Amino acid sequence: MEEPGRGHVVMVDCHCHLGDKDFDQDIDDVIEAAKKAGVMAALVCATAVSEFNKVIQLADRFPDFVLPCLGVHPVQGALTGEQRCVTLKDLEEAVPIIGLYHERLGAIGEIGLDFQPRITRTAEDKEVQREVLTKQVELARKFDLPVNVHSRSAGRPTITLLKELGVKSALLHAFDGNPKYAMEGVREGYYFSIPPSIVRSEQVICVFPKKQKLVSALPVENLLLETDSPALGPLKQGRNTPSNLSVSCSYIAEAKHLTIDQLACLTTQNAMKLFPRLARIIKR
């Protein structure tokens, strides 16, 4: 990998969902376009047991690009359109499969907390989510893996629980909490990844200035790039792809007064620290 500012460097999409049905028809083209845009690896996350096989198949098919992550998301039912809070049964089905593939995984994820009122309606729902997250953190510790974490409408509770559980290797993806709570995570050594939707401040005034403040507050040593494809793209209604990682990279580079190559190199170095198994794909 080249030094900052010395020509072309690679980027890593640290959180995406290439197993989503939106990519069923053109996944080869999507990955080829990503590589041409400088994205050399992607951590592809599952959110439910029903996605596990597909993510592993993508890793089999694209071993030079896909680093799989398996985990149980706090919100289930995305594939059926009937979203609901996770249950312990969802996790019970996942544990043996995660164990089977643990040596191939880049992280346990996507896991976390999601306290949106339309999904998480009771104190019991929140407690179940905490228990499911706790058990998956224990799995990550057992297999010596980092965690790839969701924290929608639950930034502070998620970081608080991760700290209580002694987590040291974590990515908080698309963090929407107060930047001061993010700094608690920084003090624990956590990383934060920024999606291309960061550029949509004019369209979503109530949300994105908070994320822009987050970028300003976070040390570059704790920043990573992500797309969350197919969601969180630079255009609200458009399908997001890993090629759009350059949008995040360019925005953060400007905010941090770095060149795009410098920021790409630094975030790739950060990614390889947090996700050591990227070394199977990205050769130094």
Side-chain angles (χ1 to χ4, degrees):
M1 188 162 53
E2 298 177 26
E3 293 299 319
R6 295 186 183 179
H8 178 72
V9 292
V10 302
M11 295 179 290
V12 177
D13 190 342
C14 290
H15 186 106
C16 65
H17 299 278
L18 295 183
D20 190 275
K21 64 183 185 300
D22 282 6
F23 298 113
D24 284 351
Q25 302 304 313
D26 63 346
I27 187 64
D28 293 86
D29 293 339
V30 166
I31 289 178
E32 184 61 28
K35 290 179 178 180
K36 289 180 179 178
V39 184
M40 291 294 104
L43 283 99
V44 177
C45 297
T47 60
V49 174
S50 57
E51 299 175 27
F52 283 11
N53 283 341
K54 197 169 185 181
V55 169
I56 293 299
Q57 287 169 5
L58 283 173
D60 288 338
R61 188 173 169 190
F62 303 100
D64 62 340
F65 187 82
V66 170
L67 186 59
C69 303
L70 300 183
V72 178
H73 193 282
V75 178
Q76 295 290 290
L79 296 179
T80 64
E82 299 176 358
Q83 292 188 323
R84 60 173 175 80
C85 188
V86 70
T87 67
L88 289 173
K89 183 178 179 181
D90 295 319
L91 178 62
E92 289 169 6
E93 295 173 357
V95 169
I97 305 174
I98 292 173
L100 179 64
Y101 291 111
H102 73 90
E103 292 183 350
R104 299 184 57 186
L105 303 182
I108 301 295
E110 178 176 0
I111 64 176
L113 303 178
D114 190 314
F115 289 172
Q116 297 176 81
R118 66 184 181 87
I119 300 293
T120 307
R121 299 175 180 174
T122 67
E124 183 181 359
D125 286 342
K126 292 183 178 181
E127 189 54 39
V128 170
Q129 286 191 26
R130 288 190 179 97
E131 188 170 354
V132 170
L133 175 55
T134 297
K135 289 181 179 298
Q136 291 187 95
V137 165
E138 291 170 355
L139 271 181
R141 183 174 294 116
K142 175 181 178 181
F143 297 131
D144 193 24
L145 288 168
V147 288
N148 206 320
V149 181
H150 174 99
S151 57
R152 188 169 183 180
S153 300
R156 188 179 191 183
T158 302
I159 288 177
T160 297
L161 182 54
L162 293 176
K163 288 170 60 179
E164 289 175 356
L165 296 172
V167 173
K168 295 303 178 185
S169 298
L171 166 62
L172 279 295
H173 105 92
F175 188 79
D176 67 356
N178 192 302
K180 73 177 182 180
Y181 302 140
M183 297 311 292
E184 294 181 19
V186 168
R187 287 188 283 274
E188 296 298 313
Y190 301 161
Y191 291 82
F192 295 78
S193 55
I194 309 299
S197 55
I198 187 71
V199 301
R200 284 198 257 136
S201 58
E202 292 81 6
Q203 289 76 25
V204 193
I205 294 173
C206 63
V207 176
F208 288 98
K210 184 191 295 183
K211 293 191 176 182
Q212 292 170 344
K213 290 179 182 177
L214 177 68
V215 171
S216 297
L218 290 169
V220 70
E221 293 81 9
N222 297 80
L223 280 168
L224 295 173
L225 304 176
E226 70 156 295
T227 60
D228 200 29
S229 301
L232 300 188
L235 300 176
K236 187 175 182 180
Q237 301 303 325
R239 180 184 73 162
N240 195 16
T241 69
S243 299
N244 287 327
L245 208 64
S246 59
V247 175
S248 299
C249 187
S250 178
Y251 179 91
I252 299 170
E254 183 175 358
K256 294 299 187 183
H257 308 291
L258 297 168
T259 68
I260 291 173
D261 280 358
Q262 285 174 329
L263 196 281
C265 186
L266 289 169
T267 53
T268 296
Q269 289 172 346
N270 292 345
M272 295 186 77
K273 289 176 185 175
L274 179 59
F275 304 114
R277 288 180 180 170
L278 279 169
R280 298 174 179 177
I281 299 172
I282 301 174
K283 309 302 180 184
R284 291 181 180 271

